[in-house]
């Protein structure tokens, strides 16, 4: 039986629950375009600015803001990382007095709470902006429509939902974290046209083209952590880095119950990205010592399962986790609901072999009717390969 994640919408008032459900596309029909073409252009500029902090803002969202006066941009900003000022603050600083009577575009609803920083709603009211154009409602229960209500109560015109789908897409991991209290799990694999991730002897360098591999490095830079099992460390000896000097370096996570791992794996010998080994209480103390000496963090969980690992990474403030593991761990992560999104690179190659490894191990299904169907499926060509992307269906639990 495959676990289905339920969105926890129980912390919302009835009104904010509807706003959030609609913003994140749960239980809501397709919508019409909101705002003018100029509004859309400005909102897309907000998203471009927000992307400058890709991979660096968790547990916070990616947010961009643009201030427009008399048809001209007079201030821009984005949220660089958690604990630092929000996007609106940077844009207001850049605009100075020109913010008075201006329109501000923000990709996420301005906050209305005292967190690590004071509420942006109050900052906008004090700056005297005339209009606020919002990309999407903030699903954080501390905000959830409250920022919009506060601005309207102060007499400011507010337009909500401009380029909403694009705003949601950029923050899909933040939204998932808020609604499901887990990071978004993304399963990525590269397989041949006949569904193999390696030859019968375990050789896998390389299944896909150079272009597809550099796309993976870019993908890693957008995630908070990359997770593999002990088998991948033993068989592939991966680096799990982004190979880009300036890029964000996600935490490399290894799940290993018994710590029966090679002493000289690349992961412990390369300090260019942080590494965490998740294991169980009391496992192999000598190996734990060796890891600690090499600067690797070790955390013992009472039981080590994909869901327990995701619960731990949630507590650490992560929004997105990339599963780059072998088929056995991938099957158990899927079965426990630790995977929401699948990215499959398919190389136009055939290697054959009935015992060659496949991307997802046994799920216990015997009939096609049990197959897990992905939705919102898209595909595109990357180099000489095809990238297929889709999501497992998600549920809202709003009792
Ligand atoms: N980063 C961001 C927002 N983030 C909102 O504020 C929450 C974090 O608050 P704090 O701990 O004070 O940084 C975060 O969970 C999200 O709901 N809001 C905005 O108006 N603009 C921003 O740029
Ligand atoms: Zn704010």
């Amino acid at each position: 039986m495959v676990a289905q994640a339920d969105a926890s919408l129980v912390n919302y008032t009835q009104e904010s629950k509807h706003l959030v459900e609609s913003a994140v596309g749960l239980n809501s029909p397709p919508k019409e375009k909101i705002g003018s073409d100029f509004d859309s252009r400005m909102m897309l500029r907000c998203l471009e600015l927000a992307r400058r902090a890709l991979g660096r803002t968790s547990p916070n969202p990616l947010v961009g803001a643009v201030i427009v006066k008399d048809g001209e941009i007079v201030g821009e900003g984005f949220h660089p990382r958690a604990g630092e000022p929000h996007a609106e603050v940077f844009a207001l600083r850049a605009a100075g007095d020109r913010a008075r009577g201006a329109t501000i575009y923000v990709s996420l609803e301005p906050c209305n709470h005292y967190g690590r920083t004071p509420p942006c709603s109050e900052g906008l009211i004090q700056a005297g902006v005339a209009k606020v154009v919002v990309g999407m409602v903030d699903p954080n229960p501390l905000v959830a429509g409250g920022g919009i209500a506060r601005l309207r109560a102060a007499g400011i015109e507010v337009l909500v939902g401009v380029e909403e789908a694009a705003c949601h897409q950029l923050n899909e991991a933040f939204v998932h974290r808020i609604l499901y209290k887990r990071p978004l799990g993304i399963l990525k694999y590269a397989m041949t046209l006949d569904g193999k991730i390696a030859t019968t002897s375990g050789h896998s360098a390389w299944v896909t083209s150079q272009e597809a591999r550099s796309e993976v490095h870019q993908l890693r830079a957008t995630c908070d952590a990359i997770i593999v099992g002990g088998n991948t460390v033993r068989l592939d000896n991966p680096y799990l880095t982004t190979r880009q000097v300036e890029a964000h370096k996600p935490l490399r996570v290894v799940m290993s119950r018994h710590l029966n791992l090679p002493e000289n794996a690349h992961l412990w010998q390369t300090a260019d990205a942080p590494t965490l080994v998740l294991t169980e209480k009391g496992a192999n103390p000598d190996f734990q010592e060796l890891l600690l000496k090499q600067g690797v963090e070790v955390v013992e969980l009472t039981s080590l399962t994909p869901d327990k690992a995701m619960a731990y990474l949630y507590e650490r403030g992560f929004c997105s986790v990339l599963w780059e593991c072998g088929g056995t761990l991938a099957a158990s992560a899927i079965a426990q609901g630790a995977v929401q999104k699948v990215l499959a690179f398919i190389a136009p190659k055939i290697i054959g072999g009935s015992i060659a490894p496949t991307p997802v191990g046994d799920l216990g299904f015997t009939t096609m009717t049990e197959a897990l169907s992905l939705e919102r499926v898209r595909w595109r060509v990357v180099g000489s390969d095809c990238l297929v992307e889709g999501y497992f269906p998600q549920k809202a639990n709003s009792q």
Side-chain angles (χ1 to χ4, degrees), residues 65-136:
V66 170
I67 300 179
V68 174
K69 184 85 173 275
D70 302 325
E72 259 179 52
I73 294 180
V74 294
E76 293 186 331
F78 64 93
H79 181 51
R81 64 180 66 227
E84 300 216 9
H86 291 177
E88 300 89 318
V89 174
F90 287 104
L92 285 174
R93 279 183 197 165
D97 287 346
R98 291 170 297 181
R100 194 155 295 278
T103 296
I104 182 165
Y105 293 84
V106 202
S107 53
L108 187 75
E109 171 184 4
C111 67
N112 194 40
H113 66 291
Y114 285 87
R116 277 165 282 211
T117 63
C120 291
S121 53
E122 298 302 334
L124 295 174
I125 294 166
Q126 270 162 31
V129 301
K131 183 172 175 181
V132 180
V133 181
V134 174
M136 71 175 286

Side-chain angles (χ1 to χ4, degrees), residues 367-388:
T367 60
M368 265 329 271
T369 48
E370 293 165 284
L372 304 171
S373 297
L374 298 175
E375 22 180 73
R376 290 185 276 150
V377 176
R378 293 188 302 184
W379 65 271
R380 65 191 158 90
V381 171
V382 182
S384 53
D385 308 304
C386 179
L387 170 58
V388 178

